[in-house]
Coordinates of all heavy atoms in Angstrom, one line a residue:
R223 N -13.2 -3.2 -5.3 CA -14.0 -2.0 -5.1 C -13.7 -1.4 -3.6 O -14.4 -1.9 -2.7 CB -15.5 -2.3 -5.2 CG -15.9 -2.7 -6.7 CD -17.3 -3.3 -6.8 NE -18.3 -2.3 -6.4 CZ -19.6 -2.6 -6.3 NH1 -20.0 -3.8 -6.5 NH2 -20.5 -1.7 -5.9
S224 N -12.8 -0.6 -3.6 CA -12.3 -0.2 -2.3 C -12.4 1.3 -2.0 O -12.1 1.7 -0.8 CB -10.8 -0.7 -2.1 OG -10.0 0.0 -3.2
N225 N -12.6 2.1 -2.9 CA -12.7 3.6 -2.7 C -13.6 4.3 -3.7 O -14.0 3.6 -4.7 CB -11.2 4.1 -2.7 CG -10.5 3.8 -4.0 OD1 -11.0 4.0 -5.0 ND2 -9.3 3.2 -3.9
P226 N -13.8 5.6 -3.7 CA -14.6 6.2 -4.6 C -14.1 6.1 -6.1 O -15.0 6.0 -7.0 CB -14.5 7.7 -4.2 CG -14.3 7.6 -2.7 CD -13.4 6.5 -2.5
T227 N -12.9 6.0 -6.3 CA -12.3 5.9 -7.7 C -12.7 4.5 -8.2 O -13.1 4.4 -9.4 CB -10.8 6.1 -7.6 OG1 -10.5 7.5 -7.2 CG2 -10.2 5.9 -9.1
T228 N -12.6 3.5 -7.5 CA -12.8 2.2 -8.0 C -14.3 2.0 -8.1 O -14.8 1.2 -9.0 CB -12.2 1.1 -7.2 OG1 -12.5 1.2 -5.7 CG2 -10.7 1.0 -7.2
E229 N -15.1 2.6 -7.3 CA -16.5 2.5 -7.4 C -16.9 3.1 -8.8 O -17.8 2.6 -9.5 CB -17.3 3.2 -6.3 CG -17.3 2.5 -5.0 CD -18.1 1.2 -5.2 OE1 -19.1 1.1 -5.8 OE2 -17.4 0.1 -4.7
L230 N -16.4 4.4 -9.1 CA -16.7 4.9 -10.4 C -16.2 4.1 -11.6 O -16.9 3.9 -12.6 CB -16.0 6.3 -10.5 CG -16.6 7.5 -9.7 CD1 -15.7 8.7 -9.7 CD2 -18.0 7.8 -10.1
Q231 N -15.0 3.5 -11.5 CA -14.6 2.5 -12.5 C -15.5 1.4 -12.6 O -15.9 1.1 -13.7 CB -13.2 2.1 -12.1 CG -12.5 1.2 -13.1 CD -11.1 0.8 -12.8 OE1 -10.5 1.3 -11.8 NE2 -10.6 -0.2 -13.4
W232 N -15.9 0.8 -11.6 CA -16.9 -0.3 -11.6 C -18.2 0.1 -12.3 O -18.6 -0.7 -13.2 CB -17.1 -0.8 -10.3 CG -18.2 -1.9 -10.1 CD1 -19.4 -1.8 -9.6 CD2 -18.0 -3.3 -10.5 NE1 -20.1 -3.0 -9.6 CE2 -19.3 -3.9 -10.1 CE3 -17.0 -4.0 -11.0 CZ2 -19.5 -5.3 -10.3 CZ3 -17.2 -5.4 -11.2 CH2 -18.5 -6.0 -10.9
E233 N -18.7 1.2 -11.9 CA -20.0 1.6 -12.6 C -19.8 1.9 -14.1 O -20.7 1.7 -14.9 CB -20.5 3.0 -11.9 CG -20.9 2.7 -10.5 CD -21.2 4.0 -9.7 OE1 -21.1 5.1 -10.4 OE2 -21.4 4.0 -8.4
S234 N -18.6 2.3 -14.5 CA -18.4 2.7 -15.9 C -18.4 1.5 -16.8 O -18.7 1.6 -18.0 CB -17.0 3.4 -16.1 OG -15.9 2.5 -15.9
Y235 N -18.2 0.3 -16.2 CA -18.2 -0.9 -17.1 C -19.6 -1.4 -17.5 O -19.7 -2.1 -18.5 CB -17.6 -2.1 -16.3 CG -16.1 -1.9 -16.0 CD1 -15.5 -2.4 -14.8 CD2 -15.2 -1.2 -16.8 CE1 -14.2 -2.3 -14.5 CE2 -13.9 -1.1 -16.5 CZ -13.4 -1.5 -15.4 OH -12.1 -1.4 -15.0
G236 N -20.6 -0.9 -16.7 CA -21.9 -1.4 -17.0 C -22.1 -2.8 -16.7 O -21.1 -3.6 -16.4
E237 N -23.3 -3.3 -16.8 CA -23.7 -4.6 -16.3 C -22.9 -5.7 -17.0 O -22.3 -6.7 -16.5 CB -25.1 -4.9 -16.4 CG -25.7 -6.3 -15.9 CD -27.1 -6.4 -15.9 OE1 -27.9 -5.5 -16.0 OE2 -27.6 -7.6 -16.0
E238 N -22.8 -5.6 -18.4 CA -22.0 -6.6 -19.2 C -20.5 -6.5 -18.8 O -19.9 -7.6 -18.8 CB -22.3 -6.3 -20.6 CG -21.6 -7.4 -21.6 CD -21.9 -8.8 -21.3 OE1 -23.0 -9.1 -20.7 OE2 -21.1 -9.7 -21.8
G239 N -20.0 -5.4 -18.7 CA -18.6 -5.3 -18.5 C -18.2 -5.8 -17.1 O -17.2 -6.5 -16.9
Q240 N -19.1 -5.6 -16.1 CA -18.9 -6.1 -14.8 C -18.9 -7.6 -14.8 O -18.1 -8.3 -14.1 CB -20.0 -5.5 -13.9 CG -19.9 -4.1 -13.6 CD -21.1 -3.6 -12.9 OE1 -22.0 -4.2 -12.5 NE2 -21.1 -2.2 -12.7
R241 N -19.9 -8.2 -15.5 CA -19.9 -9.6 -15.6 C -18.7 -10.2 -16.2 O -18.1 -11.2 -15.8 CB -21.2 -10.0 -16.5 CG -21.5 -11.6 -16.5 CD -22.4 -11.9 -17.6 NE -21.9 -11.7 -18.9 CZ -21.0 -12.5 -19.5 NH1 -20.6 -13.6 -18.9 NH2 -20.6 -12.2 -20.7
K242 N -18.2 -9.6 -17.3 CA -17.0 -10.2 -18.0 C -15.8 -10.0 -17.1 O -15.0 -10.9 -17.0 CB -16.8 -9.3 -19.3 CG -17.7 -9.6 -20.4 CD -17.4 -8.8 -21.6 CE -16.0 -9.1 -22.2 NZ -15.8 -8.3 -23.4
L243 N -15.7 -8.9 -16.3 CA -14.6 -8.8 -15.4 C -14.5 -9.9 -14.4 O -13.5 -10.5 -14.1 CB -14.6 -7.4 -14.7 CG -13.4 -7.0 -13.9 CD1 -13.3 -5.4 -13.9 CD2 -13.4 -7.5 -12.5

Side-chain angles (χ1 to χ4, degrees):
R223 296 169 63 185
S224 60
N225 56 48
T227 298
T228 53
E229 282 300 314
L230 288 174
Q231 185 178 344
W232 175 252
E233 291 170 9
S234 74
Y235 294 149
E237 186 175 338
E238 178 59 20
Q240 293 168 3
R241 188 193 65 78
K242 287 179 64 176
L243 191 153

